[in-house]
Amino acid sequence: MSDAQGDPRRRHSAKVVDGPGKSASRAMLRAVGFTDEDFRKPQVGIASTWSQVTPCNSHIGELADKACQGADAAGGKGVIFNTITISDGIANGTEGMKYSLVSREVIADSIETVAACEGFDGLVTLGGCDKNMPGCLMGMARLNRPSVFVYGGTIMPGKGHTDIVSVFEAMGAHSRGDMDLIELKQIEETAIPGPGSCGGMYTANTMASAIEALGMSLPGSSAQNAVSEEKREDCVRAGAAVLKLLEEEIKPSDIMTRAAFENAITVVIALGGSTNAVLHLIAMARTIDVALSLDDFTEIGKRVPVLADLRPSGHYMMSELVAIGGIQPLMKILLEAGLLHGDCLTVTGQTLTENLADVAPYPLDQSIIAPLSEPLKAESHLRILYGNLAPDGAVAKITGKEGTHFSGPARVFGSEEEAQQRINDGTVVSGDVVVIRYEGPRGGPGMREMLTPTSAIMGRGLGNEVALITDGRFSGGSHGFVVGHVTPEAFDGGPLALLEDGDLITIDAQENTLVVDLSDAELARRRANWQQPTPRYTRGVLAKYARLVGSASEGALTDQD
């Protein structure tokens, strides 16, 4: 029977296990290994996303064990529980991809549910694929108990410097006739050599970097190889760090401040990160009651350059950035240039400035991170566009290699599958603006990523000759002249729903506009004749999600006010 009810570190677990009236609770926990001594310790929930669903998470079971060991050694009692994950890389281009963004909400719900029910005093969450990371952060934010996030780490490059996007683009090259089945199979067999998240600055590595910059991971956690002693040590230290946070009563709301989110945005831009960061950072901020909007990405982007030559638009992979020091030297460069808020508190219990004090610079001969004086792009690659096609905003990823302006006739499709078929059969030609609509959060439902069609466009050699706009999302691996998150979405009667083949669309990434050459009167005439499509799902999780989800421009949350 516990005698530690006055321990402020145990304000949640004490309610579950202390006193004669909780004898039944203790009996249940004894059966899973608790001792008398354990009942006197703060309980640390270890939320593991381990599964065999995807290589991104296939090693996280071992990492969760390490985090538990760290919590136990520091005087806590670690308790491992699981939540789900899905694989975008496997589901892309299928109906199953509609569950991808939905999984972020399920993960947040499940972490909140288990931790609140069981009375955990603190949390370590471990994620490896792009939706489970923001899902973990949203769960921790809702609970607001001392917490640390651990990234599962990046995969190593495949043979010939390949990765998952290499496979998707090889599929496009095969459909064009430029690659035979033997070559395609060789890439398929060697591009994914083992555990870890997709190897470029795709969404997983983008979100891991953002979370570290936010202060919710230990320094270095975002830039470690998945299978490495450094990553195992990171997990042990994370378990111990939660006990220090409990001692000092430091909660996520003390760390996830407005200034910290500005730091996260700054690092995402400098790294050339994924458009999904816009969606997820807004969702995470709103969950912790921090005001963040699309326009904040524009304002910060005016002063922050792109410095990292990382895939998909660049050359290098995350494992190569790991080898030269990860993102810590980059953050120190940004801090010294006045581009980061150094006084932000982090999960170390110290400020960002204190964490970076002894960080060594990058090697002089490295070519992955450009100097501030010679950036790859002087302003952000993440462009927030407005206009009569996107009254509530849209998100583009324009590195400059695609140009900054595209104008062409619309080629309109009502689903990803329809667009993919017409890209592969040659219907889509140079100069077209491919429009994929009814793929938004409500219309899809689920806001699928368009990695398969964008990769097909690249594979067919049209990357600089075709643009694509959608109310869906893009994978962090997508590149080319692409605009997503168009709001209001087509299902809600947004202007995307009113387009017809041949309408002239202009994307301007300097003026930040997305417009169609139609008068207000013509748009009004078309709107009067438009009817909302029948929902694609009426039962189950997708139907529930479609009823609850908000606009992509506000993070696509399901529990908003």
Side-chain angles (χ1 to χ4, degrees):
M1 187 181 303
S2 174
D3 58 2
Q5 287 180 310
D7 186 345
R9 302 174 305 164
R10 299 186 58 250
R11 56 173 47 94
H12 300 287
S13 61
K15 298 173 184 177
V16 176
V17 301
D18 284 8
K22 295 297 184 286
S23 185
S25 303
R26 293 193 298 276
M28 295 284 284
L29 289 169
R30 289 182 192 279
V32 297
F34 272 63
T35 66
D36 283 346
E37 184 181 354
D38 291 332
F39 292 122
R40 300 183 179 93
K41 299 173 181 177
Q43 290 187 29
V44 178
I46 313 291
S48 168
T49 55
W50 173 85
S51 78
Q52 291 181 315
V53 166
T54 167
C56 309
N57 294 65
S58 62
H59 62 305
I60 282 180
E62 176 194 358
L63 299 184
D65 289 339
K66 293 293 184 183
C68 194
Q69 292 169 18
D72 291 349
K77 175 58 179 173
V79 182
I80 298 174
F81 66 98
N82 276 83
T83 184
I84 66 160
T85 195
I86 55 88
S87 173
D88 295 350
I90 296 171
N92 246 301
T94 74
E95 191 75 0
M97 188 62 190
K98 293 181 177 180
Y99 290 88
S100 172
L101 188 58
V102 177
S103 76
R104 186 190 74 180
E105 308 302 301
V106 175
I107 291 162
D109 289 349
S110 65
I111 291 173
E112 176 191 357
T113 300
V114 175
C117 177
E118 301 302 319
F120 297 141
D121 301 297
L123 284 169
V124 176
T125 64
L126 301 98
C129 207
D130 51 2
K131 303 310 169 300
N132 59 50
M133 288 189 276
C136 286
L137 267 290
M138 289 162 61
M140 293 191 296
R142 291 180 192 175
L143 292 157
N144 200 29
R145 301 176 189 181
S147 305
V148 176
F149 175 77
V150 176
Y151 178 43
T154 188
I155 199 170
M156 300 303 290
K159 183 179 179 181
H161 210 242
T162 53
D163 61 10
I164 184 60
V165 175
S166 306
V167 185
F168 277 98
E169 294 183 358
M171 290 160 55
H174 173 68
S175 74
R176 189 175 62 176
D178 288 349
M179 181 177 292
D180 62 31
L181 281 172
I182 293 174
E183 294 172 297
L184 177 59
K185 189 168 186 289
Q186 287 173 339
I187 293 176
E188 171 193 326
E189 290 175 340
T190 60
I192 313 295
S197 297
C198 298
M201 190 47 64
Y202 310 144
T203 306
N205 282 315
T206 296
M207 290 312 301
S209 302
I211 292 166
E212 182 177 332
L214 189 66
M216 287 299 294
S217 290
L218 293 174
S221 183
S222 71
Q224 293 166 336
N225 296 323
V227 181
S228 66
E229 188 57 35
E230 290 78 12
K231 180 48 65 183
R232 288 186 284 271
E233 290 174 0
D234 180 43
C235 296
V236 174
R237 291 188 296 112
V242 175
L243 273 297
K244 181 179 179 183
L245 294 173
L246 283 164
E247 289 281 356
E248 300 183 10
E249 298 187 349
I250 297 173
K251 303 181 295 298
S253 59
D254 300 313
I255 298 171
M256 298 171 67
T257 62
R258 165 72 190 207
F261 277 100
E262 291 183 0
N263 285 346
I265 294 170
T266 296
V267 169
V268 166
I269 292 170
L271 289 169
S274 166
T275 54
N276 281 313
V278 179
L279 186 78
H280 295 323
L281 286 172
I282 289 175
M284 289 157 52
R286 287 172 178 258
T287 302
I288 202 79
D289 293 326
V290 168
L292 198 70
S293 72
L294 290 175
D295 294 339
D296 291 315
F297 287 81
T298 297
E299 289 306 309
I300 294 171
K302 290 176 182 177
R303 60 180 183 266
V304 179
V306 178
L307 299 177
D309 185 18
L310 294 167
R311 291 191 178 188
S313 54
H315 175 71
Y316 294 98
M317 293 192 185
M318 191 66 179
S319 58
E320 293 166 302
L321 181 60
V322 169
I324 64 166
I327 73 166
Q328 289 279 294
L330 171 63
M331 290 174 66
K332 191 166 186 177
I333 291 168
L334 296 171
L335 177 68
E336 291 174 347
L339 295 173
L340 291 178
H341 302 286
D343 58 348
C344 288
L345 189 63
T346 75
V347 292
T348 65
Q350 296 183 305
T351 65
L352 182 66
T353 295
E354 290 171 326
N355 288 346
L356 295 173
D358 297 325
V359 171
Y362 288 122
L364 292 176
D365 60 350
Q366 66 86 24
S367 55
I368 302 174
I369 302 296
L372 276 171
S373 58
E374 300 178 48
L376 301 181
K377 192 172 188 292
E379 293 186 350
S380 177
H381 63 301
L382 298 176
R383 315 302 291 187
I384 308 302
L385 311 182
Y386 291 96
N388 65 354
L389 269 183
D392 294 343
V395 182
K397 182 179 181 180
I398 307 295
T399 66
K401 295 181 180 180
E402 314 86 352
T404 58
H405 185 279
F406 195 102
S407 187
R411 185 82 66 170
V412 183
F413 304 105
S415 70
E416 178 185 358
E417 288 84 355
E418 184 184 358
Q420 181 68 24
Q421 182 179 353
R422 297 304 171 224
I423 293 167
N424 286 339
D425 70 13
T427 300
V428 172
V429 297
S430 177
D432 283 347
V433 178
V434 175
V435 178
I436 305 179
R437 62 190 179 193
Y438 299 114
E439 290 287 3
R442 294 187 64 216
M447 204 180 180
R448 284 191 285 187
E449 291 181 348
M450 301 295 146
L451 179 58
T452 302
T454 58
S455 295
I457 287 169
M458 299 301 293
R460 293 185 68 83
L462 296 172
N464 294 322
E465 300 169 23
V466 167
L468 191 155
I469 67 173
T470 180
D471 50 8
R473 297 181 294 121
F474 293 110
S475 163
S478 293
H479 56 124
F481 216 111
V482 296
V483 181
H485 309 202
V486 176
T487 55
E489 63 174 288
F491 187 83
D492 289 335
L496 216 60
L498 311 178
L499 293 177
E500 298 175 359
D501 282 348
D503 290 340
L504 183 65
I505 293 172
T506 299
I507 307 163
D508 191 325
Q510 289 183 313
E511 297 298 323
N512 295 331
T513 55
L514 175 63
V515 297
V516 59
D517 188 18
L518 295 172
S519 67
D520 291 346
E522 174 60 15
L523 287 170
R525 183 191 68 78
R526 294 186 187 184
R527 181 169 286 107
N529 294 323
W530 176 81
Q531 291 185 328
Q532 187 177 63
T534 301
R536 287 169 169 158
Y537 291 84
T538 58
R539 299 292 297 274
V541 67
L542 291 178
K544 186 191 307 183
Y545 181 84
R547 286 192 295 269
L548 294 173
V549 71
S551 169
S553 64
E554 298 176 347
L557 288 168
T558 56
D559 67 339
Q560 58 194 354
D561 296 335

